[in-house]
Amino acid sequence: MDYAPEPYADDNIFAKILREEIPAFRVYEDAETLVFMDIMPRVDGHMLVIPKTPCRNMLDASADQLAACLKTVQKVSLALLGAPYGADGISLQQFNEPAGGQEVYHLHFHILPRRDGDALRPPRQQGDMEAIAAEAERIRAAIAAAA
Ligand code: AMP
């Protein structure tokens, strides 16, 4: 195997969110993972799932880190389908290394709640913080209702 990733750098934005050095709209966490809102949402309700332990991306992640993240992806996704949140489907995105579209070097999965017939917004556009906060509240309520 030739892949030799850059070492994990703990000054990345998501590591700072984990250490609570910068704010985030947190919607769910368990012992191994954290879910928070993406501040440049491609759709309403765009979230990121990250492991609490360090790894750069899917390529250097352990099986346990991947399993923990996907377990959380599934749990949160199921809570959003149908009432009360009302998603019709879920898109899952995950990018690795610059050529793969990765911009933040702490493993993360994008959960995009989809509505029938919707379209993705362009990437890298700052979202409206009040709208994201309101969406986070709706998602927290849906997760609590599904528990
Ligand atoms: P990528 O590495 O390409 O999968 O994308 C990183 C994602 O992180 C993008 O969708 C950004 O909008 C998102 N992002 C960057 N900084 C923050 C932040 N401080 N809080 C929440 N999401 C962020």
mmCIF file of all heavy atoms in Angstrom, residues 35-65:
data_model
loop_
_atom_site.group_PDB
_atom_site.id
_atom_site.type_symbol
_atom_site.label_atom_id
_atom_site.label_comp_id
_atom_site.label_asym_id
_atom_site.label_seq_id
_atom_site.Cartn_x
_atom_site.Cartn_y
_atom_site.Cartn_z
ATOM 1 N N VAL A 35 -22.298 15.215 16.501
ATOM 2 C CA VAL A 35 -23.000 15.689 15.299
ATOM 3 C C VAL A 35 -23.299 17.176 15.479
ATOM 4 O O VAL A 35 -23.826 17.581 16.519
ATOM 5 C CB VAL A 35 -24.325 14.928 15.092
ATOM 6 C CG1 VAL A 35 -24.941 15.315 13.749
ATOM 7 C CG2 VAL A 35 -24.109 13.414 15.174
ATOM 8 N N PHE A 36 -22.953 17.964 14.482
ATOM 9 C CA PHE A 36 -23.232 19.405 14.539
ATOM 10 C C PHE A 36 -23.591 19.902 13.143
ATOM 11 O O PHE A 36 -23.347 19.224 12.143
ATOM 12 C CB PHE A 36 -22.036 20.178 15.116
ATOM 13 C CG PHE A 36 -20.730 19.957 14.397
ATOM 14 C CD1 PHE A 36 -20.312 20.825 13.395
ATOM 15 C CD2 PHE A 36 -19.927 18.864 14.700
ATOM 16 C CE1 PHE A 36 -19.118 20.625 12.728
ATOM 17 C CE2 PHE A 36 -18.726 18.644 14.020
ATOM 18 C CZ PHE A 36 -18.323 19.523 13.042
ATOM 19 N N MET A 37 -24.170 21.118 13.113
ATOM 20 C CA MET A 37 -24.638 21.674 11.846
ATOM 21 C C MET A 37 -23.469 22.179 11.014
ATOM 22 O O MET A 37 -22.530 22.801 11.534
ATOM 23 C CB MET A 37 -25.608 22.843 12.098
ATOM 24 C CG MET A 37 -26.796 22.526 12.990
ATOM 25 S SD MET A 37 -27.810 21.161 12.413
ATOM 26 C CE MET A 37 -28.575 21.918 10.967
ATOM 27 N N ASP A 38 -23.544 21.940 9.707
ATOM 28 C CA ASP A 38 -22.597 22.545 8.765
ATOM 29 C C ASP A 38 -23.017 23.998 8.574
ATOM 30 O O ASP A 38 -24.205 24.285 8.357
ATOM 31 C CB ASP A 38 -22.647 21.780 7.428
ATOM 32 C CG ASP A 38 -21.462 22.104 6.533
ATOM 33 O OD1 ASP A 38 -21.230 23.303 6.260
ATOM 34 O OD2 ASP A 38 -20.767 21.171 6.102
ATOM 35 N N ILE A 39 -22.062 24.927 8.703
ATOM 36 C CA ILE A 39 -22.424 26.348 8.619
ATOM 37 C C ILE A 39 -22.461 26.862 7.173
ATOM 38 O O ILE A 39 -22.749 28.034 6.941
ATOM 39 C CB ILE A 39 -21.495 27.227 9.484
ATOM 40 C CG1 ILE A 39 -20.034 27.029 9.104
ATOM 41 C CG2 ILE A 39 -21.737 26.966 10.965
ATOM 42 C CD1 ILE A 39 -19.093 28.041 9.770
ATOM 43 N N MET A 40 -22.155 25.982 6.233
ATOM 44 C CA MET A 40 -22.339 26.334 4.810
ATOM 45 C C MET A 40 -23.248 25.255 4.197
ATOM 46 O O MET A 40 -22.815 24.417 3.395
ATOM 47 C CB MET A 40 -20.993 26.413 4.099
ATOM 48 C CG MET A 40 -20.152 27.577 4.593
ATOM 49 S SD MET A 40 -18.532 27.679 3.857
ATOM 50 C CE MET A 40 -17.517 27.333 5.291
ATOM 51 N N PRO A 41 -24.520 25.255 4.607
ATOM 52 C CA PRO A 41 -25.387 24.101 4.309
ATOM 53 C C PRO A 41 -25.751 23.989 2.830
ATOM 54 O O PRO A 41 -26.202 24.948 2.223
ATOM 55 C CB PRO A 41 -26.620 24.367 5.174
ATOM 56 C CG PRO A 41 -26.629 25.839 5.407
ATOM 57 C CD PRO A 41 -25.194 26.285 5.418
ATOM 58 N N ARG A 42 -25.589 22.795 2.315
ATOM 59 C CA ARG A 42 -26.001 22.519 0.919
ATOM 60 C C ARG A 42 -27.517 22.345 0.833
ATOM 61 O O ARG A 42 -28.094 22.526 -0.233
ATOM 62 C CB ARG A 42 -25.313 21.247 0.409
ATOM 63 C CG ARG A 42 -23.790 21.225 0.516
ATOM 64 C CD ARG A 42 -23.123 22.185 -0.451
ATOM 65 N NE ARG A 42 -23.564 22.069 -1.818
ATOM 66 C CZ ARG A 42 -23.105 21.196 -2.727
ATOM 67 N NH1 ARG A 42 -22.149 20.360 -2.387
ATOM 68 N NH2 ARG A 42 -23.566 21.170 -3.951
ATOM 69 N N VAL A 43 -28.133 21.931 1.954
ATOM 70 C CA VAL A 43 -29.598 21.874 2.099
ATOM 71 C C VAL A 43 -29.899 22.244 3.551
ATOM 72 O O VAL A 43 -29.011 22.179 4.418
ATOM 73 C CB VAL A 43 -30.172 20.457 1.831
ATOM 74 C CG1 VAL A 43 -30.080 20.077 0.366
ATOM 75 C CG2 VAL A 43 -29.509 19.409 2.727
ATOM 76 N N ASP A 44 -31.146 22.605 3.822
ATOM 77 C CA ASP A 44 -31.541 22.830 5.220
ATOM 78 C C ASP A 44 -31.297 21.538 5.999
ATOM 79 O O ASP A 44 -31.629 20.447 5.529
ATOM 80 C CB ASP A 44 -33.024 23.204 5.306
ATOM 81 C CG ASP A 44 -33.302 24.586 4.735
ATOM 82 O OD1 ASP A 44 -32.344 25.355 4.548
ATOM 83 O OD2 ASP A 44 -34.490 24.877 4.477
ATOM 84 N N GLY A 45 -30.702 21.659 7.177
ATOM 85 C CA GLY A 45 -30.472 20.484 8.009
ATOM 86 C C GLY A 45 -29.160 19.761 7.730
ATOM 87 O O GLY A 45 -28.927 18.690 8.292
ATOM 88 N N HIS A 46 -28.299 20.354 6.910
ATOM 89 C CA HIS A 46 -26.990 19.738 6.597
ATOM 90 C C HIS A 46 -26.168 19.616 7.886
ATOM 91 O O HIS A 46 -25.902 20.588 8.571
ATOM 92 C CB HIS A 46 -26.278 20.642 5.584
ATOM 93 C CG HIS A 46 -24.957 20.143 5.093
ATOM 94 N ND1 HIS A 46 -24.320 20.735 4.023
ATOM 95 C CD2 HIS A 46 -24.133 19.141 5.491
ATOM 96 C CE1 HIS A 46 -23.179 20.113 3.792
ATOM 97 N NE2 HIS A 46 -23.028 19.149 4.697
ATOM 98 N N MET A 47 -25.778 18.372 8.206
ATOM 99 C CA MET A 47 -25.026 18.095 9.443
ATOM 100 C C MET A 47 -23.733 17.360 9.143
ATOM 101 O O MET A 47 -23.579 16.771 8.068
ATOM 102 C CB MET A 47 -25.848 17.176 10.365
ATOM 103 C CG MET A 47 -26.995 17.817 11.044
ATOM 104 S SD MET A 47 -28.084 16.516 11.670
ATOM 105 C CE MET A 47 -28.880 16.024 10.181
ATOM 106 N N LEU A 48 -22.840 17.376 10.123
ATOM 107 C CA LEU A 48 -21.575 16.649 10.037
ATOM 108 C C LEU A 48 -21.466 15.709 11.228
ATOM 109 O O LEU A 48 -21.750 16.107 12.366
ATOM 110 C CB LEU A 48 -20.404 17.625 10.047
ATOM 111 C CG LEU A 48 -20.396 18.630 8.889
ATOM 112 C CD1 LEU A 48 -19.392 19.750 9.157
ATOM 113 C CD2 LEU A 48 -20.089 17.944 7.564
ATOM 114 N N VAL A 49 -21.046 14.479 10.963
ATOM 115 C CA VAL A 49 -20.813 13.477 12.010
ATOM 116 C C VAL A 49 -19.320 13.236 12.081
ATOM 117 O O VAL A 49 -18.687 12.918 11.060
ATOM 118 C CB VAL A 49 -21.537 12.159 11.681
ATOM 119 C CG1 VAL A 49 -21.228 11.110 12.738
ATOM 120 C CG2 VAL A 49 -23.034 12.382 11.547
ATOM 121 N N ILE A 50 -18.748 13.390 13.280
ATOM 122 C CA ILE A 50 -17.299 13.187 13.442
ATOM 123 C C ILE A 50 -17.018 12.246 14.612
ATOM 124 O O ILE A 50 -17.796 12.193 15.573
ATOM 125 C CB ILE A 50 -16.544 14.528 13.656
ATOM 126 C CG1 ILE A 50 -16.945 15.199 14.975
ATOM 127 C CG2 ILE A 50 -16.774 15.470 12.486
ATOM 128 C CD1 ILE A 50 -16.101 16.437 15.303
ATOM 129 N N PRO A 51 -15.896 11.529 14.529
ATOM 130 C CA PRO A 51 -15.479 10.764 15.713
ATOM 131 C C PRO A 51 -14.852 11.708 16.737
ATOM 132 O O PRO A 51 -14.273 12.738 16.368
ATOM 133 C CB PRO A 51 -14.432 9.795 15.145
ATOM 134 C CG PRO A 51 -13.848 10.517 13.976
ATOM 135 C CD PRO A 51 -14.964 11.389 13.408
ATOM 136 N N LYS A 52 -14.954 11.355 18.016
ATOM 137 C CA LYS A 52 -14.343 12.192 19.053
ATOM 138 C C LYS A 52 -12.840 11.965 19.153
ATOM 139 O O LYS A 52 -12.137 12.749 19.792
ATOM 140 C CB LYS A 52 -15.019 11.932 20.404
ATOM 141 C CG LYS A 52 -16.437 12.502 20.467
ATOM 142 C CD LYS A 52 -17.055 12.355 21.846
ATOM 143 C CE LYS A 52 -18.373 13.105 21.912
ATOM 144 N NZ LYS A 52 -19.057 12.935 23.216
ATOM 145 N N THR A 53 -12.386 10.890 18.565
ATOM 146 C CA THR A 53 -10.951 10.590 18.563
ATOM 147 C C THR A 53 -10.358 10.978 17.213
ATOM 148 O O THR A 53 -11.058 11.012 16.202
ATOM 149 C CB THR A 53 -10.726 9.096 18.831
ATOM 150 O OG1 THR A 53 -11.568 8.330 17.958
ATOM 151 C CG2 THR A 53 -11.037 8.755 20.271
ATOM 152 N N PRO A 54 -9.040 11.276 17.193
ATOM 153 C CA PRO A 54 -8.460 11.830 15.971
ATOM 154 C C PRO A 54 -8.242 10.820 14.851
ATOM 155 O O PRO A 54 -7.782 9.707 15.093
ATOM 156 C CB PRO A 54 -7.104 12.387 16.452
ATOM 157 C CG PRO A 54 -6.800 11.668 17.716
ATOM 158 C CD PRO A 54 -8.106 11.288 18.328
ATOM 159 N N CYS A 55 -8.601 11.216 13.651
ATOM 160 C CA CYS A 55 -8.143 10.567 12.418
ATOM 161 C C CYS A 55 -8.397 11.551 11.291
ATOM 162 O O CYS A 55 -9.273 12.412 11.387
ATOM 163 C CB CYS A 55 -8.788 9.210 12.162
ATOM 164 S SG CYS A 55 -10.556 9.224 11.989
ATOM 165 N N ARG A 56 -7.587 11.439 10.258
ATOM 166 C CA ARG A 56 -7.609 12.430 9.178
ATOM 167 C C ARG A 56 -8.831 12.274 8.274
ATOM 168 O O ARG A 56 -9.480 13.237 7.926
ATOM 169 C CB ARG A 56 -6.312 12.269 8.386
ATOM 170 C CG ARG A 56 -6.145 13.176 7.201
ATOM 171 C CD ARG A 56 -4.772 12.940 6.602
ATOM 172 N NE ARG A 56 -4.606 13.623 5.327
ATOM 173 C CZ ARG A 56 -4.218 14.881 5.191
ATOM 174 N NH1 ARG A 56 -3.971 15.611 6.268
ATOM 175 N NH2 ARG A 56 -4.067 15.442 3.998
ATOM 176 N N ASN A 57 -9.129 11.051 7.934
ATOM 177 C CA ASN A 57 -10.258 10.802 7.021
ATOM 178 C C ASN A 57 -10.577 9.302 7.029
ATOM 179 O O ASN A 57 -10.067 8.551 7.879
ATOM 180 C CB ASN A 57 -9.962 11.345 5.607
ATOM 181 C CG ASN A 57 -8.689 10.793 4.995
ATOM 182 O OD1 ASN A 57 -8.342 9.627 5.224
ATOM 183 N ND2 ASN A 57 -7.996 11.605 4.226
ATOM 184 N N MET A 58 -11.375 8.864 6.064
ATOM 185 C CA MET A 58 -11.775 7.455 6.002
ATOM 186 C C MET A 58 -10.574 6.534 5.803
ATOM 187 O O MET A 58 -10.595 5.362 6.216
ATOM 188 C CB MET A 58 -12.784 7.304 4.850
ATOM 189 C CG MET A 58 -13.301 5.912 4.583
ATOM 190 S SD MET A 58 -12.253 5.017 3.408
ATOM 191 C CE MET A 58 -12.532 5.929 1.895
ATOM 192 N N LEU A 59 -9.499 7.051 5.206
ATOM 193 C CA LEU A 59 -8.392 6.190 4.795
ATOM 194 C C LEU A 59 -7.494 5.769 5.960
ATOM 195 O O LEU A 59 -6.882 4.696 5.916
ATOM 196 C CB LEU A 59 -7.574 6.891 3.708
ATOM 197 C CG LEU A 59 -8.393 7.197 2.439
ATOM 198 C CD1 LEU A 59 -7.660 8.186 1.550
ATOM 199 C CD2 LEU A 59 -8.709 5.927 1.686
ATOM 200 N N ASP A 60 -7.394 6.603 6.989
ATOM 201 C CA ASP A 60 -6.572 6.219 8.145
ATOM 202 C C ASP A 60 -7.431 5.900 9.369
ATOM 203 O O ASP A 60 -6.902 5.600 10.440
ATOM 204 C CB ASP A 60 -5.539 7.305 8.496
ATOM 205 C CG ASP A 60 -6.174 8.557 9.064
ATOM 206 O OD1 ASP A 60 -7.357 8.823 8.756
ATOM 207 O OD2 ASP A 60 -5.493 9.294 9.794
ATOM 208 N N ALA A 61 -8.759 5.943 9.224
ATOM 209 C CA ALA A 61 -9.646 5.672 10.356
ATOM 210 C C ALA A 61 -9.574 4.204 10.748
ATOM 211 O O ALA A 61 -9.344 3.329 9.905
ATOM 212 C CB ALA A 61 -11.079 6.038 9.986
ATOM 213 N N SER A 62 -9.812 3.945 12.025
ATOM 214 C CA SER A 62 -9.918 2.557 12.471
ATOM 215 C C SER A 62 -11.311 2.024 12.150
ATOM 216 O O SER A 62 -12.266 2.795 11.931
ATOM 217 C CB SER A 62 -9.681 2.471 13.984
ATOM 218 O OG SER A 62 -10.769 3.063 14.668
ATOM 219 N N ALA A 63 -11.441 0.716 12.162
ATOM 220 C CA ALA A 63 -12.756 0.106 11.954
ATOM 221 C C ALA A 63 -13.736 0.589 13.024
ATOM 222 O O ALA A 63 -14.917 0.822 12.735
ATOM 223 C CB ALA A 63 -12.637 -1.419 11.966
ATOM 224 N N ASP A 64 -13.254 0.766 14.251
ATOM 225 C CA ASP A 64 -14.141 1.231 15.322
ATOM 226 C C ASP A 64 -14.607 2.666 15.081
ATOM 227 O O ASP A 64 -15.772 3.006 15.337
ATOM 228 C CB ASP A 64 -13.431 1.154 16.676
ATOM 229 C CG ASP A 64 -13.335 -0.281 17.201
ATOM 230 O OD1 ASP A 64 -14.024 -1.166 16.643
ATOM 231 O OD2 ASP A 64 -12.568 -0.514 18.148
ATOM 232 N N GLN A 65 -13.723 3.520 14.614
ATOM 233 C CA GLN A 65 -14.120 4.906 14.333
ATOM 234 C C GLN A 65 -15.158 4.955 13.210
ATOM 235 O O GLN A 65 -16.153 5.674 13.297
ATOM 236 C CB GLN A 65 -12.896 5.750 13.949
ATOM 237 C CG GLN A 65 -12.007 6.074 15.133
ATOM 238 C CD GLN A 65 -10.705 6.731 14.716
ATOM 239 O OE1 GLN A 65 -10.063 6.300 13.750
ATOM 240 N NE2 GLN A 65 -10.309 7.772 15.428
#
